[in-house]
Amino acid sequence: VEPIPNTPDWHSGALASDGTLYAAMADDLFALDAATGDTLWVGPRATDGGWLLPPTVSADGRTAYIKNTGDSLYAFDAATGTIRWATADPYVDRIVFGVGTAVAGSRLVLPVFDRLQELDSSGSPLGLSSTYGHGFSEPVLDAAGTAFSVLSNPPGVRAYRPITTTRWAAPPRSRWTWFGGPALAAIAR
Protein backbone atom coordinates (compact mmCIF):
# COMPACT_ATOMS: atom_id res chain seq x y z
CA VAL A 1 0.00 0.00 0.00
CA GLU A 2 1.40 3.38 -1.02
CA PRO A 3 1.41 6.05 1.70
CA ILE A 4 -0.93 8.97 1.17
CA PRO A 5 1.13 12.05 0.28
CA ASN A 6 1.02 15.01 2.67
CA THR A 7 0.03 17.74 0.19
CA PRO A 8 -0.85 21.38 0.96
CA ASP A 9 -4.35 21.14 -0.54
CA TRP A 10 -5.20 18.66 2.22
CA HIS A 11 -4.47 21.19 4.97
CA SER A 12 -7.18 23.07 6.85
CA GLY A 13 -7.50 25.15 9.95
CA ALA A 14 -9.73 26.97 12.38
CA LEU A 15 -9.00 30.23 14.16
CA ALA A 16 -10.36 30.55 17.69
CA SER A 17 -11.39 33.88 19.22
CA ASP A 18 -8.33 33.76 21.54
CA GLY A 19 -5.96 33.78 18.55
CA THR A 20 -5.17 30.07 18.49
CA LEU A 21 -4.91 28.53 15.03
CA TYR A 22 -5.73 24.80 14.92
CA ALA A 23 -4.01 23.36 11.86
CA ALA A 24 -4.93 19.91 10.51
CA MET A 25 -2.15 19.08 8.05
CA ALA A 26 -2.79 15.51 6.86
CA ASP A 27 -0.17 13.72 8.98
CA ASP A 28 0.28 16.50 11.54
CA LEU A 29 -1.98 18.40 13.91
CA PHE A 30 -0.93 21.65 15.58
CA ALA A 31 -2.27 24.41 17.80
CA LEU A 32 -0.35 27.60 16.96
CA ASP A 33 -0.33 31.14 18.27
CA ALA A 34 -1.68 32.92 15.19
CA ALA A 35 0.15 36.17 16.06
CA THR A 36 3.61 34.65 16.44
CA GLY A 37 3.48 31.18 14.86
CA ASP A 38 4.69 29.63 18.11
CA THR A 39 3.59 26.03 18.64
CA LEU A 40 1.20 25.72 21.61
CA TRP A 41 0.77 21.96 21.31
CA VAL A 42 1.18 19.11 18.86
CA GLY A 43 -1.46 16.42 18.41
CA PRO A 44 -0.86 12.76 17.65
CA ARG A 45 0.73 12.04 14.28
CA ALA A 46 -1.41 10.30 11.66
CA THR A 47 0.67 8.05 9.43
CA ASP A 48 -2.17 7.71 6.92
CA GLY A 49 -2.86 11.39 6.27
CA GLY A 50 -5.86 11.23 8.60
CA TRP A 51 -5.91 14.88 9.75
CA LEU A 52 -7.71 16.09 6.60
CA LEU A 53 -10.90 17.62 7.95
CA PRO A 54 -11.37 21.20 9.17
CA PRO A 55 -11.14 21.60 12.95
CA THR A 56 -14.05 23.13 14.86
CA VAL A 57 -13.79 25.08 18.11
CA SER A 58 -16.55 25.16 20.73
CA ALA A 59 -18.28 28.51 21.36
CA ASP A 60 -16.54 28.84 24.74
CA GLY A 61 -13.14 28.17 23.10
CA ARG A 62 -12.26 25.37 25.51
CA THR A 63 -12.62 22.39 23.15
CA ALA A 64 -11.25 21.74 19.66
CA TYR A 65 -13.14 19.02 17.77
CA ILE A 66 -10.99 17.41 15.10
CA LYS A 67 -11.92 14.35 13.03
CA ASN A 68 -9.29 11.86 11.96
CA THR A 69 -10.62 10.56 8.64
CA GLY A 70 -11.82 6.97 8.83
CA ASP A 71 -10.94 6.81 12.53
CA SER A 72 -12.55 8.93 15.25
CA LEU A 73 -13.80 12.37 16.17
CA TYR A 74 -11.50 13.71 18.88
CA ALA A 75 -12.26 16.36 21.50
CA PHE A 76 -9.04 18.10 22.52
CA ASP A 77 -8.59 20.42 25.48
CA ALA A 78 -7.98 23.59 23.46
CA ALA A 79 -5.36 24.93 25.89
CA THR A 80 -3.26 21.80 26.43
CA GLY A 81 -3.97 19.41 23.54
CA THR A 82 -5.01 16.67 25.96
CA ILE A 83 -7.52 14.31 24.36
CA ARG A 84 -10.76 14.52 26.38
CA TRP A 85 -12.52 11.79 24.43
CA ALA A 86 -12.63 10.07 21.06
CA THR A 87 -15.68 8.54 19.39
CA ALA A 88 -15.04 6.00 16.65
CA ASP A 89 -16.46 6.64 13.20
CA PRO A 90 -19.19 4.05 12.51
CA TYR A 91 -17.61 3.62 9.05
CA VAL A 92 -13.92 3.28 9.91
CA ASP A 93 -13.18 1.76 6.51
CA ARG A 94 -14.61 4.78 4.60
CA ILE A 95 -12.97 8.17 4.13
CA VAL A 96 -14.71 11.55 4.24
CA PHE A 97 -12.86 14.54 2.77
CA GLY A 98 -13.11 18.26 3.39
CA VAL A 99 -16.07 18.56 5.75
CA GLY A 100 -15.85 19.31 9.43
CA THR A 101 -18.06 19.11 12.49
CA ALA A 102 -20.88 21.55 13.25
CA VAL A 103 -21.19 22.55 16.92
CA ALA A 104 -24.12 24.25 18.63
CA GLY A 105 -24.35 24.17 22.40
CA SER A 106 -23.98 20.58 23.51
CA ARG A 107 -24.63 19.07 20.04
CA LEU A 108 -22.18 18.01 17.38
CA VAL A 109 -23.12 16.94 13.85
CA LEU A 110 -20.60 15.52 11.40
CA PRO A 111 -20.64 13.65 8.09
CA VAL A 112 -19.66 9.98 8.31
CA PHE A 113 -19.51 8.64 4.76
CA ASP A 114 -23.17 8.31 3.66
CA ARG A 115 -24.90 9.77 6.74
CA LEU A 116 -24.76 12.53 9.30
CA GLN A 117 -23.98 11.53 12.86
CA GLU A 118 -25.07 13.46 15.94
CA LEU A 119 -23.13 13.33 19.21
CA ASP A 120 -23.43 15.16 22.50
CA SER A 121 -20.51 17.20 23.84
CA SER A 122 -19.27 14.20 25.84
CA GLY A 123 -18.89 12.15 22.63
CA SER A 124 -21.93 9.93 23.17
CA PRO A 125 -23.67 9.07 19.87
CA LEU A 126 -27.24 10.40 19.67
CA GLY A 127 -28.19 9.10 16.23
CA LEU A 128 -27.54 8.76 12.52
CA SER A 129 -29.46 10.26 9.62
CA SER A 130 -30.86 8.08 6.89
CA THR A 131 -28.41 6.80 4.28
CA TYR A 132 -28.29 9.03 1.19
CA GLY A 133 -25.17 7.87 -0.58
CA HIS A 134 -21.69 9.36 -0.49
CA GLY A 135 -21.45 13.13 -0.39
CA PHE A 136 -22.55 15.53 2.36
CA SER A 137 -21.48 19.13 2.68
CA GLU A 138 -20.25 20.48 5.97
CA PRO A 139 -23.40 20.74 8.13
CA VAL A 140 -24.63 23.78 10.05
CA LEU A 141 -26.85 23.94 13.14
CA ASP A 142 -29.29 26.72 13.93
CA ALA A 143 -30.22 27.98 17.40
CA ALA A 144 -33.35 25.79 17.44
CA GLY A 145 -31.26 22.66 16.90
CA THR A 146 -32.04 22.00 13.24
CA ALA A 147 -29.13 20.61 11.20
CA PHE A 148 -28.80 21.53 7.50
CA SER A 149 -26.62 19.91 4.83
CA VAL A 150 -26.32 19.70 1.06
CA LEU A 151 -26.35 16.18 -0.37
CA SER A 152 -25.13 14.93 -3.73
CA ASN A 153 -27.20 11.73 -3.92
CA PRO A 154 -30.05 12.53 -4.15
CA PRO A 155 -28.97 16.12 -4.70
CA GLY A 156 -30.50 18.93 -2.66
CA VAL A 157 -30.60 20.58 0.74
CA ARG A 158 -32.04 18.76 3.75
CA ALA A 159 -33.02 19.85 7.24
CA TYR A 160 -32.96 17.43 10.20
CA ARG A 161 -34.30 17.67 13.75
CA PRO A 162 -33.46 15.37 15.38
CA ILE A 163 -30.78 13.95 13.09
CA THR A 164 -32.88 10.80 12.61
CA THR A 165 -35.77 12.81 11.11
CA THR A 166 -35.74 14.73 7.81
CA ARG A 167 -37.89 17.84 8.36
CA TRP A 168 -37.75 18.97 4.73
CA ALA A 169 -35.81 18.62 1.48
CA ALA A 170 -35.29 21.32 -1.17
CA PRO A 171 -34.52 20.73 -4.85
CA PRO A 172 -30.90 20.92 -5.94
CA ARG A 173 -29.03 23.77 -7.55
CA SER A 174 -25.82 21.72 -7.82
CA ARG A 175 -25.03 18.12 -7.10
CA TRP A 176 -21.43 18.77 -6.06
CA THR A 177 -21.20 19.04 -2.28
CA TRP A 178 -17.56 20.11 -2.35
CA PHE A 179 -18.66 23.47 -3.80
CA GLY A 180 -19.93 24.37 -0.35
CA GLY A 181 -22.83 23.85 1.93
CA PRO A 182 -25.43 25.95 3.66
CA ALA A 183 -24.62 29.00 5.77
CA LEU A 184 -26.76 30.63 8.42
CA ALA A 185 -26.96 34.40 8.74
CA ALA A 186 -27.83 36.37 11.85
CA ILE A 187 -31.04 38.35 11.56
CA ALA A 188 -30.93 41.90 12.90
CA ARG A 189 -33.86 42.66 15.15
Side-chain angles (χ1 to χ4, degrees), residues 28-31 39-45 76 80-81:
D28 300 304
L29 179 62
F30 298 101
T39 301
L40 303 175
W41 53 263
V42 177
R45 185 159 173 77
F76 291 91
T80 66

Side-chain angles (χ1 to χ4, degrees), residues 32-99:
L32 306 168
D33 182 315
T36 65
D38 292 340
T39 301
L40 303 175
W41 53 263
V42 177
R45 185 159 173 77
T47 57
D48 61 355
W51 300 116
L52 295 175
L53 304 178
T56 304
V57 182
S58 63
D60 65 10
R62 295 193 303 214
T63 307
Y65 300 102
I66 308 172
K67 174 93 168 51
N68 186 306
T69 298
D71 177 353
S72 300
L73 174 66
Y74 290 85
F76 291 91
D77 181 291
T80 66
T82 302
I83 297 172
R84 291 187 176 156
W85 53 259
T87 299
D89 188 323
Y91 299 100
V92 294
D93 60 338
R94 307 297 173 119
I95 295 176
V96 176
F97 291 94
V99 291

Side-chain angles (χ1 to χ4, degrees), residues 2-189:
E2 292 289 319
I4 297 173
N6 188 351
T7 60
D9 58 338
W10 287 6
H11 299 175
S12 61
L15 185 61
S17 61
D18 70 354
T20 301
L21 174 64
Y22 300 93
M25 302 176 64
D27 290 339
D28 300 304
L29 179 62
F30 298 101
L32 306 168
D33 182 315
T36 65
D38 292 340
T39 301
L40 303 175
W41 53 263
V42 177
R45 185 159 173 77
T47 57
D48 61 355
W51 300 116
L52 295 175
L53 304 178
T56 304
V57 182
S58 63
D60 65 10
R62 295 193 303 214
T63 307
Y65 300 102
I66 308 172
K67 174 93 168 51
N68 186 306
T69 298
D71 177 353
S72 300
L73 174 66
Y74 290 85
F76 291 91
D77 181 291
T80 66
T82 302
I83 297 172
R84 291 187 176 156
W85 53 259
T87 299
D89 188 323
Y91 299 100
V92 294
D93 60 338
R94 307 297 173 119
I95 295 176
V96 176
F97 291 94
V99 291
T101 302
V103 179
S106 64
R107 295 181 55 226
L108 306 155
V109 174
L110 67 150
V112 288
F113 189 61
D114 63 350
R115 300 172 180 230
L116 292 174
Q117 181 178 30
E118 183 176 349
L119 308 168
D120 67 18
S121 59
S122 68
S124 296
L126 299 175
L128 291 166
S129 71
S130 297
T131 299
Y132 292 107
H134 187 61
F136 278 89
S137 71
E138 195 159 2
V140 294
L141 290 164
D142 71 8
T146 303
F148 304 89
S149 188
V150 175
L151 287 73
S152 62
N153 183 22
V157 179
R158 291 192 183 270
Y160 307 88
R161 191 177 72 215
I163 204 67
T164 56
T165 304
T166 300
R167 296 187 54 85
W168 56 260
R173 299 282 185 224
S174 169
R175 63 177 306 225
W176 309 114
T177 56
W178 55 82
F179 291 147
L184 297 174
I187 298 174
R189 298 206 186 253

